[in-house]
């Protein structure tokens, strides 16, 4: 709002950069501009302040669809005062020269005008659509139709306004009716969710089955490999046993051959030794054949004496000597 400073007989007005002030005196425009600051006489000046910034007007528009159902659309209209002097002539934006406040409610008038126009265009746009089409078609087509209709409306241009655009927040039906319309979609979504859950479970079961089959295949393969390993180990053990048996047989045969050779050598040595001893004995006996008996007896006594143990004392009694001589005599007689 404008700031007015009071002085005796005169006033000073200072406006914001987004306010357009029109000063009339005797029905003639004396000053008109944005962000003005000037002196004026309160008894002769007629002042109007029109905001020139962009403004938003939220409203709720009710309409009836082609199937006679009530719907509610949340609409936001963006607008601006394009021609402030024209607006000041068509709407009451006059301000009190003493306080700088509006003497009327011009923004309410603008809101009523734009609200009626936007609601009418919403009703016209939804009149040819069914309830399901109005709710499910989205807000884009409705926003485009309402914006185009407001831009082409002559009353808006005649008031000095410029509509920048319209936004549609939502199009809603009665709560019970909307829930009834949402039921098929909810059921379909629930069915989709259940089908997705079933598919996930089926996929999980399929994955578990694939994992189990893979594990079984691995176990079968491992069992086959283990069987091959056992067979190979048995073959290796048999080969080792055969090799050990062959080596033992060869060793036994070699040992037997050695023993046989040793035995043959020992027998040959014994035979040769026996033959040598026999030959020696024969030669000795042959040598003794022509020796006289007394010589042989003396040799025998010498041999006997050489083989007797050491005698410290020898006592000869007549009886022992008689027996020895008797035996010696008996030997000669034979």
């Amino acid at each position: 709002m404008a700031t007015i400073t009071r002085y005796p007989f005169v006033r000073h007005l200072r406006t914001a950069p987004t306010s357009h002030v029109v000063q009339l005196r005797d029905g003639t425009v004396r000053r008109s501009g944005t962000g003005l600051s000037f002196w004026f006489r309160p008894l002769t000046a007629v002042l109007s302040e029109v905001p020139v910034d962009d403004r938003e007007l939220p409203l709720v528009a009710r309409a009836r669809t082609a199937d006679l159902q009530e719907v509610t659309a949340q609409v936001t209209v963006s607008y601006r005062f394009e021609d402030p002097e024209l607006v000041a002539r068509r709407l009451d934006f006059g301000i009190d020269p003493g306080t700088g406040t509006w003497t009327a409610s011009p923004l309410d008038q603008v809101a009523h005008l734009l609200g009626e126009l936007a609601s009418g265009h919403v009703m016209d746009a939804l009149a040819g659509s069914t309830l399901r089409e109005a709710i499910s078609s989205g807000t884009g087509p409705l926003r485009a139709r309402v914006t185009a209709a407001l831009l082409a409306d002559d009353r808006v241009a005649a008031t000095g306004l410029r509509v920048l655009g319209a936004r549609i927040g939502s199009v809603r039906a009665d709560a019970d009716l909307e829930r009834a319309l949402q039921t098929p979609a909810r059921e379909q979504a629930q069915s989709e969710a259940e089908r997705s859950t079933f598919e996930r479970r089926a996929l999980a079961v399929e994955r578990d089955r694939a994992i189990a089959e893979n594990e079984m295949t691995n176990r079968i393969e491992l069992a086959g490999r283990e069987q091959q390993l056992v067979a190979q180990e048995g073959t290796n053990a048999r080969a080792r046993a055969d090799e050990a048996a062959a080596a033992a047989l060869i060793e036994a045969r070699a040992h037997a051959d050695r023993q046989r050779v040793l035995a043959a050598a020992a027998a040959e040595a014994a035979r040769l030794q026996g033959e040598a001893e026999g030959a020696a004995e024969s030669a000795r006996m042959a040598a003794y054949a022509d020796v006289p008996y007394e010589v042989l007896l003396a040799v025998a006594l010498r041999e006997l004496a050489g083989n007797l143990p050491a005698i410290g004392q020898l006592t000869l009694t007549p009886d022992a000597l008689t027996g020895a001589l008797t035996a010696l005599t008996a030997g000669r007689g034979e």
Side-chain angles (χ1 to χ4, degrees):
M1 302 301 295
T3 300
I4 296 178
T5 306
R6 305 177 63 177
Y7 295 95
F9 307 109
V10 293
R11 301 285 189 273
H12 183 269
L13 181 142
R14 181 169 56 85
T15 59
T18 58
S19 296
H20 187 99
V21 175
V22 179
Q23 180 186 5
L24 299 178
R25 189 172 65 181
D26 296 333
T28 304
V29 177
R30 296 299 303 273
R31 291 186 179 87
S32 178
T34 302
L36 296 180
S37 179
F38 56 89
W39 297 89
F40 66 93
R41 291 182 180 179
L43 297 179
T44 59
V46 177
L47 303 175
S48 297
E49 183 182 8
V50 181
V52 294
D53 56 340
D54 295 344
R55 291 182 172 265
E56 302 281 343
L57 176 63
L59 57 99
V60 176
R62 299 183 180 275
R64 178 172 293 186
T65 60
D67 50 358
L68 304 180
Q69 299 296 326
E70 295 287 340
V71 294
T72 301
Q74 295 182 353
V75 185
T76 301
V77 180
S78 301
Y79 68 95
R80 181 172 63 228
F81 295 105
E82 185 74 11
D83 190 347
E85 294 185 6
L86 179 59
V87 172
R89 289 195 302 270
R90 299 298 300 273
L91 300 174
D92 186 7
F93 277 90
I95 60 175
D96 188 339
T99 60
T101 58
W102 281 318
T103 58
S105 301
L107 296 181
D108 293 340
Q109 298 176 20
V110 175
H112 179 73
L113 173 63
L114 292 179
E116 291 294 329
L117 293 176
S119 298
H121 294 314
V122 170
M123 294 176 63
D124 294 340
L126 295 178
S129 303
T130 62
L131 176 63
R132 187 177 297 275
E133 293 174 350
I135 294 177
S136 62
S137 61
T139 60
L142 180 60
R143 176 186 57 80
R145 292 188 60 179
V146 172
T147 300
L150 288 175
L151 290 175
D153 198 301
D154 295 335
R155 286 171 292 180
V156 175
T159 310
L161 296 173
R162 180 184 176 184
V163 175
L164 303 177
R167 299 191 303 275
I168 308 299
S170 63
V171 178
R172 306 290 298 272
D174 182 74
D176 296 335
L177 184 58
E178 190 169 350
R179 282 194 296 270
L181 292 175
Q182 291 173 352
T183 299
R186 289 179 178 175
E187 291 179 352
Q188 184 178 0
Q190 183 66 27
S191 177
E192 293 289 338
E194 291 177 354
R195 185 169 69 252
S196 299
T197 302
F198 176 76
E199 290 178 354
R200 287 195 299 271
R201 290 179 179 175
L203 181 60
V205 171
E206 183 66 21
R207 288 178 178 175
D208 292 340
R209 186 184 64 81
I211 293 173
E213 290 181 354
N214 190 19
E215 291 179 353
M216 184 177 296
T217 303
N218 292 335
R219 292 177 61 185
I220 292 174
E221 184 176 358
L222 291 176
R225 292 184 179 179
E226 185 177 0
Q227 183 178 3
Q228 294 177 0
L229 179 61
V230 171
Q232 187 63 39
E233 289 180 349
T235 302
N236 295 338
R238 286 194 299 273
R240 286 193 294 268
D242 293 340
E243 292 294 333
L249 179 59
I250 293 172
E251 185 178 359
R253 287 178 179 177
H255 182 70
D257 292 340
R258 287 196 299 270
Q259 293 296 327
R260 191 164 48 251
V261 171
L262 293 175
E268 183 66 21
R271 185 182 64 80
L272 294 177
Q273 184 177 2
E275 290 179 354
E277 290 178 353
E281 187 65 24
S282 297
R284 190 168 52 251
M285 294 303 294
Y288 291 155
D290 297 331
V291 177
Y293 174 75
E294 293 81 1
V295 176
L296 293 175
L297 181 60
V299 172
L301 291 174
R302 188 184 62 181
E303 290 291 335
L304 178 62
N307 292 323
L308 288 175
I311 299 174
Q313 265 182 340
L314 178 62
T315 303
L316 294 177
T317 63
D319 294 333
L321 183 58
T322 300
L325 292 176
T326 301
L328 182 61
T329 304
R332 291 186 62 186
E334 292 177 0

